[in-house]
Amino acid sequence: MPRVSYTAPATVDDAVKALAGAAGLAKVLSGGTDLLVQLKSGRLKPDLIVDTKRIPGMIGIREEGDYFVIGAATPGVLISAHQPLEHAYPGIVEGVDLIGSQQIQGRCTIAGNLCNASPAADSVPPVIAARARAVVAGPGGRREVPVEEIVTGPGRTSLQKGEFVVEFKIPLPKPRQSDAYLRFIPRTEMDIAVVGCAVNVTLDESGACTDARVVLGAVAPTQVIVAGAAEALRGHKLDEDTLQRLDSAAQAACHPITDKRGTIEYRTKVAGVLARRAAAIAFDRAATRGATIAGAV
Amino acid sequence: MSYLDKSALKVVGTRPVRPDGVEKVIGRANFGADMVMPGMLWGKVLRSPHAHARIRSINTARAAALPGVRAVITADDFPPIASEEAFVGEGPMNFRDLSYNCIARGKVLYDGHAVAAVAATSPAIAEEALDLIAVDYEVLPHVIDVEDAMKADAPVLHDDLFTQGVDPKPTKPSNIAKRIGFNKGDIATGWKEAEVTIERRYTTQPVHQGYIEPHACVVAVGADGQCTIWSSSQGQFMVRAYCAKLLGVDIANIRAMPAEIGGGFGGKTLIYLEPLAMALSRKSGRPVKIVMNREEVFRGTGPAAGSVIEVKLGAKKDGRLVAAELLLKYQAGAFPGSPVGPGCMCAFAMYDIPHVSIVGYDVVSNRPKVAAYRAPGAPNSSFGVESCMDELARQMNIDPLHLREINAAKDGTKAAHGPTWSNIGYLETVQAAQANAHLSHKLGSNQGRGVASGFWFNIGGESSAACHINEDGTATVVEGCPDIGGSRASMAMMAAEVLGIPYERVRPIVADTASVGFSFLTGGSRVTFATGMAVTQAAEKVVVELKKRAAMIWDISPDAVDWKDGKAYPAGPNAGSFEPLSLQEIALKAGRTGGPISAEVTINAQGAGAGWATHICDVEVDSETGRVKILRYTAIQDVGRAIHPSYVEGQIQGGVTQGIGWALNEEYIYDKDGRLENPGFLDYRVPVASDLPMIDAVMLEIPNPRHPFGAKGVGEVPIVPPMAAVANAIFDATGIRMRDLPMSPPKLRAALDAEAPPPRLAAE
């Protein structure tokens, strides 16, 4: 009979030891909202499951110096309820909020959403757009990497044997910085992104963009930072020309496939549409935010 | 007796709480998967990974040897059955094909076709055993699309299938099972008379019924061969009959117990698991439980047919239709028996057209065998005809509702498929739509409005019911039709009305096959009509008996007793002067006046009233993403008499919701090897609650004189108009005519782009 071992260590070191010492396939369990489905469907047959929720600090959000620090096992409901984070990065909260249903929100985590390595993960684009870093623990100690370096392809990550994500560090936003995340699905909820788009912008006092990061989901094997987006937006207000340039940049960044959820052509067009619409929301939020440092309220 | 006068009714027409409500709300109701028995084994089914393949051999030795495995079965464990047609449920059924569909014999015909099953002491062992069954397949070329399947060089599924209904009889087998036709008047004359003509082609995709409860059963075969089946289905008598046939046992040796049913919509009018569990139980000597998962439901159970619909309409300049032609090609799935017949008959039923010609083809391909789905066949052909009516109206610059009004079938109209209509309420639905406040609501930009109509026969049929008066004056109503949409409440209400006692004092149950007379399954919108008629008659017989008992107590003639408000009264001054006797008082004395008071009625109900509907739909189209939002929806329907109005509204809202899913997003996606790519609710997109506005159900009560309360079936016709109503609304909003379902965002965006190429981007 198939058997699987389960352990719930109380320290990061013990978790690393368990993962590194596993004979066969070892999987990290935080919320389990993807892992358990894969177990049940028989798609995944791990030999060991390491539950990280009992490790102190893995659940919760704190401000440390210039960063928000989000523990890797922090569920969606706690992220949505965290007012300073919600004020600073409404786009991140929008992305997290879109994972699954109300019931799933009680368990799902950004780390799980990231390490499941689906190109369509909703929380990942806004986290990358915020220039967040992931803290990874492993046999060689801790390392910090930009979040966009974790996922290398569908179902694949850069994490080595014995490594797992402990927390995320998200820089406190600058004055007049804000973000937005939009996804397209054929229905209104309970669905998976055909295209997702996060826009994170910083404006000057005149309302012109000084910095921008636009990240697309579900249009390539990994999330894509739109290379031409910053160039399209920087120095500009959100006029029609700027929007069109952003649209083109977003479309140019797409390398989608045709599958049961959408065609190459459709996904590419909608990426441009969402980039424009998310940018409009992010610009508006940044402008109305004014000079207050969002995270400090 | 007749209770057609609505003003005299005390219970019928009110909205009491359903008798099965509490258990369902708190999660305690026993559905198919809830049954457990001591010593029970778990069954699992091995399914074909191929769309079409010859089974060279199946080696079950390793699976059978796995500790914990108690039985392994293949088609060899079932008797071969001769081809025998039966008309059951809502469509034709061939017993040999049913057997072959439950477990593949010689060839697998679709991805998901069952090939073997095991029973083991745990689900995990059963699962592991499936991996140990070695099936040697010779993969054959396959065909999925209906028109590809009709081609001369298409891979043939059944080498003994010769097209019926063509002359001369074909000499070669093909995938075309049947050609049928209906004619009225002379179509050539019709085209000569026509001043305006329009000809269009439409397509629909197969869609699943999408019931929330997957198929599940427990079957126990005793050492003496007596068999008990617990399962969720639309008819315990249907389960009994099919299992008896497929396993070769006497009907009397099977008792089928109806579980609560978590949705069926036609998809549970046949069986999949019960014969397998029965064979496993017979082999192992233990009760066997099998529960499908969602993937199995999508891969292995019947969807509704997909179809091609070619419509040609001819009209006079004033809008009067003079000619109509229809060509239908319906997918049957792996075995013959698509609902192309009803598709042909329903298409023009709403209209009075002098010259009509209809041809339909029933076509097999490498997909799961289709099963009934709400008004089977009608939504497909009606999508074509009702879209084409809209195109004609717009071409002629006639209001689409007015075009329907001037062509509406009325009492006395002869339908193209034969019958002459009486007591029909179609025109009333059109006129009610014209008068509805919905039409005066102003539309904004990117918004549009569409209308469409629909027809469904509704049936009566064999039903049994008993009414027992209990010692305390309460009543038990026993019936044989699974309650799929609130019918127990309706049965109790009709009995309470006849008996003259409060609804709460009547307890309705759905009994097993040994505890009530034969009842045809729940389907064809027949239960409130036919079983309701049996219940009413049983209650009436009880009232006759109650009057007799009162007469005995008073020592007067039974003719001199009146029954009113649950009490016996002397009929007049000549009858004598007595205090009224309540049902409770008579029940208490039943032992002394002749024994228990009860009645059972078995009928074959005739005179079902057809269902007619006209729907109005408003949409908003996001032209950049192609997404359609349903803004407002009004469904107007001739319901005869709404016994329990809330459950009639529920049927209408449910049918519309499923129709909107059919219109917008639902489809089966097959890969190049004929494997289903979206066997789950994530990528098979039924609407979620937040996708829809509140659906406004307008009930027109045009009583059916053939039913004591005037009831007509209501459950099926609501799914007929929505696809065309949505398509017509999308045209109104965008000027784009969507003729191929589903009208999903990628398809609509592509159609919008094809119509008006976007301006070149500034950056280019």
Side-chain angles (χ1 to χ4, degrees), chain B residues 14-27:
Chain B
T14 64
R15 299 171 185 249
V17 169
R18 62 198 290 164
D20 50 314
V22 172
E23 289 287 281
K24 283 179 177 166
V25 168
I26 66 174

Side-chain angles (χ1 to χ4, degrees), chain B residues 318 398-407 430 434:
Chain B
D318 62 4
I398 297 176
D399 173 79
L401 279 174
H402 183 58
L403 182 66
R404 288 173 172 84
E405 184 185 20
I406 56 185
N407 289 292
V430 176
Q434 288 167 323

Side-chain angles (χ1 to χ4, degrees), chain A residues 1-2 184-192 241 244-245 247-248 251 260-261 266 269-270 273 276-277, chain B residues 124-125 128 622 624-625 627 665 669 677 681-683 685-686 688 690-691 745-746 749 753 761-763:
Chain A
M1 261 187 76
F184 180 80
I185 55 173
R187 295 182 286 198
T188 47
E189 59 180 325
M190 301 299 292
D191 216 326
I192 196 159
D241 277 356
Q244 282 306 329
R245 278 200 306 276
D247 186 316
S248 303
Q251 293 201 39
K260 59 195 173 187
R261 292 178 188 140
Y266 181 71
K269 285 175 187 170
V270 172
V273 173
R276 279 189 277 116
R277 292 180 182 180
Chain B
I125 295 173
E128 201 182 343
D622 181 338
E624 288 192 317
T625 64
R627 189 160 91 183
N665 285 305
I669 302 164
E677 282 200 295
F681 279 136
L682 184 57
D683 286 301
R685 293 187 167 81
V686 299
V688 296
S690 54
D691 289 348
R749 167 81 204 238
D753 288 349
L761 297 169

Side-chain angles (χ1 to χ4, degrees), chain B residues 264-286:
Chain B
F265 313 108
K268 291 178 185 166
T269 57
L270 71 168
I271 52 171
Y272 300 97
L273 297 178
E274 290 89 341
L276 305 184
M278 197 166 155
L280 287 167
S281 178
R282 193 157 72 172
K283 208 164 181 172
S284 64
R286 304 259 293 264

Side-chain angles (χ1 to χ4, degrees), chain B residues 654-678:
Chain B
V656 169
T657 299
Q658 291 183 314
I660 288 170
W662 198 333
L664 292 179
N665 285 305
E666 293 182 39
E667 62 181 322
Y668 281 62
I669 302 164
Y670 282 95
D671 71 8
K672 61 177 175 40
D673 297 319
R675 294 193 180 100
L676 186 59
E677 282 200 295
N678 58 334

Side-chain angles (χ1 to χ4, degrees), chain B residues 403-425:
Chain B
L403 182 66
R404 288 173 172 84
E405 184 185 20
I406 56 185
N407 289 292
K410 303 176 194 70
D411 288 357
T413 300
K414 188 173 161 56
H417 64 282
T420 300
W421 298 120
S422 61
N423 300 303
I424 68 168

